Amino acid sequence: MLSIDTTRKLSFNRSISNGDLVIVYERHDNMKAVTVSEGSVLQNRFGVFKHADWIGKSFGSKVFSNKGGFVYLLAPTPELWTLVLSHRTQILYIADISFVVMYLEIVPGCVVLESGTGSGSLSTSLARAVAPTGHVYTFDFHEQRAGSARDDFERIGLSSLVTVGVRDIQGEGFPEEFAGLADAVFLDLPQPWLAIPSAAKMLRHDGTLCSFSPCIEQVQRSCETMQSNFTDIRTFEVLLRTYEVREGKTESKEINGNGSNGSLPCKRRQCSDGANLLSYPNSSVMARPSGEARGHTGYLTFARCLS
């Protein structure tokens, strides 16, 4: 994904090679991650696609099957990886992730500690934000889950930017070797208040902490604990509303009033109750809220370290 080899810098302006990971895009709700292997094929409803035909093409290319169907070969950015990764736990999605990266003030060169690696959705975006000179140290108490995340980071080319550790941060805290070195800390834990004192020790002066919790009771208890070593404590809930924009066609309507026939120009408007008002021409654009929109995911609590 973000390979930092001298031959593969932080850019996708290069050709796809054998062994690369690509996102095969059929439509916005149907895509998958595929590792290119010269002798392999991908078979779907559009036909059979030979991996050998992909090698040498640029990311973003449109490739065709034996039946004339097509897919797009996209670069495995953190945004797309979040949509195709294996869910070992509940994950953070783009709306929450972008908010976290902004409010934690993460920039290239930062050192970030994360507890609750899970499926690694947030970790990939953190890694891109700190690249090429920063580093993300992420911890999970579940050894098998940590191992799977480590394999994923290797697969997408982030192993030089992310280090995965097995540790119970709630019970043991972060390793003392990071004391005073972290620019930001992110917690996704059942009882984050148990890890907050350790997070305060890890942060540089004026460093930032974020705790993600699905329940408001967790937020209340965490905020009480933060008051000892933190200031500027704020809690947010990010709700994203997705719209579908499509072109619709309407039939012309004849007007028989004073003996003349014709069609009137018109617009398509949406009432507050969701109903559509149609006026002509023959085609127009319709926008409506997506039925797949996600509701509440969790609360994001941010705080700034005092010492």
Side-chain angles (χ1 to χ4, degrees):
M1 177 188 291
L2 291 172
S3 177
I4 59 172
D5 291 349
T6 55
T7 57
R8 296 183 181 183
K9 295 184 179 180
L10 301 178
S11 170
F12 294 113
N13 296 324
R14 62 176 179 83
S15 299
I16 296 171
S17 303
N18 190 39
D20 279 349
L21 182 74
V22 300
I23 305 297
V24 177
Y25 180 99
E26 295 184 21
R27 47 174 287 158
H28 75 280
D29 58 354
N30 192 352
M31 60 188 89
K32 65 185 297 185
V34 176
T35 301
V36 178
S37 179
E38 189 169 1
S40 299
V41 298
L42 170 70
Q43 187 168 357
N44 60 18
R45 59 191 174 129
F46 299 118
V48 177
F49 297 85
K50 295 181 180 180
H51 287 205
D53 296 338
W54 302 354
I55 296 174
K57 293 188 179 298
S58 300
F59 285 106
S61 295
K62 183 178 182 179
V63 294
F64 294 88
S65 71
N66 61 328
K67 295 181 178 180
F70 64 87
V71 296
Y72 295 95
L73 305 179
L74 304 183
T77 63
E79 292 79 10
L80 292 178
W81 181 249
T82 289
L83 299 176
V84 301
L85 57 75
S86 299
H87 287 209
R88 295 178 287 273
T89 60
Q90 181 65 32
I91 69 170
L92 268 70
Y93 288 95
I94 293 170
D96 287 325
I97 291 173
S98 58
F99 204 82
V100 168
V101 172
M102 181 188 72
Y103 257 83
L104 284 182
E105 302 170 358
I106 299 174
V107 296
C110 280
V111 173
V112 181
L113 303 184
E114 177 191 19
S115 180
T117 309
S119 302
S121 174
L122 175 64
S123 307
T124 57
S125 289
L126 294 177
R128 180 176 63 181
V130 304
T133 55
H135 204 86
V136 177
Y137 297 90
T138 181
F139 300 89
D140 202 293
F141 76 94
H142 194 282
E143 187 170 356
Q144 184 176 357
R145 200 156 58 209
S148 297
R150 192 179 293 112
D151 292 341
D152 280 349
F153 298 143
E154 179 70 32
R155 183 184 180 195
I156 58 182
L158 291 179
S159 56
S160 62
L161 295 169
V162 183
T163 299
V164 183
V166 179
R167 189 178 178 93
D168 178 12
I169 299 299
Q170 287 187 168
E172 305 174 55
F174 289 99
E176 287 297 324
E177 64 189 271
F178 297 112
L181 298 179
D183 297 289
V185 174
F186 179 84
L187 303 176
D188 183 359
L189 300 169
Q191 298 175 296
W193 54 89
L194 297 178
I196 288 173
S198 174
K201 294 179 182 178
M202 302 301 112
L203 285 167
R204 300 176 186 269
H205 177 65
D206 204 38
T208 48
L209 167 69
C210 177
S211 176
F212 175 86
S213 298
C215 301
I216 196 63
E217 292 80 9
Q218 294 169 300
V219 173
Q220 292 171 332
R221 192 159 179 182
S222 296
C223 288
E224 291 174 1
T225 306
M226 289 178 185
Q227 290 175 1
S228 300
N229 298 295
F230 293 87
T231 187
D232 194 23
I233 302 171
R234 307 184 187 193
T235 298
F236 302 90
E237 180 185 22
V238 182
L239 298 177
L240 180 68
R241 191 176 191 185
T242 304
Y243 273 77
E244 295 177 354
V245 180
R246 297 180 179 177
E247 183 178 2
K249 293 186 177 181
T250 60
E251 296 181 358
S252 296
K253 182 178 179 181
E254 291 190 348
I255 306 299
N256 295 312
N258 53 7
S260 62
N261 296 332
S263 59
L264 297 176
C266 84
K267 297 180 180 179
R268 178 188 297 264
R269 296 177 180 174
Q270 188 175 43
C271 298
S272 58
D273 61 358
N276 286 325
L277 292 177
L278 300 181
S279 50
Y280 309 136
N282 292 334
S283 66
S284 58
V285 176
M286 178 179 67
R288 65 179 181 183
S290 171
E292 301 175 0
R294 296 184 179 88
H296 171 78
T297 55
Y299 301 101
L300 296 168
T301 300
F302 296 87
R304 192 172 296 277
C305 188
L306 290 172
S307 59

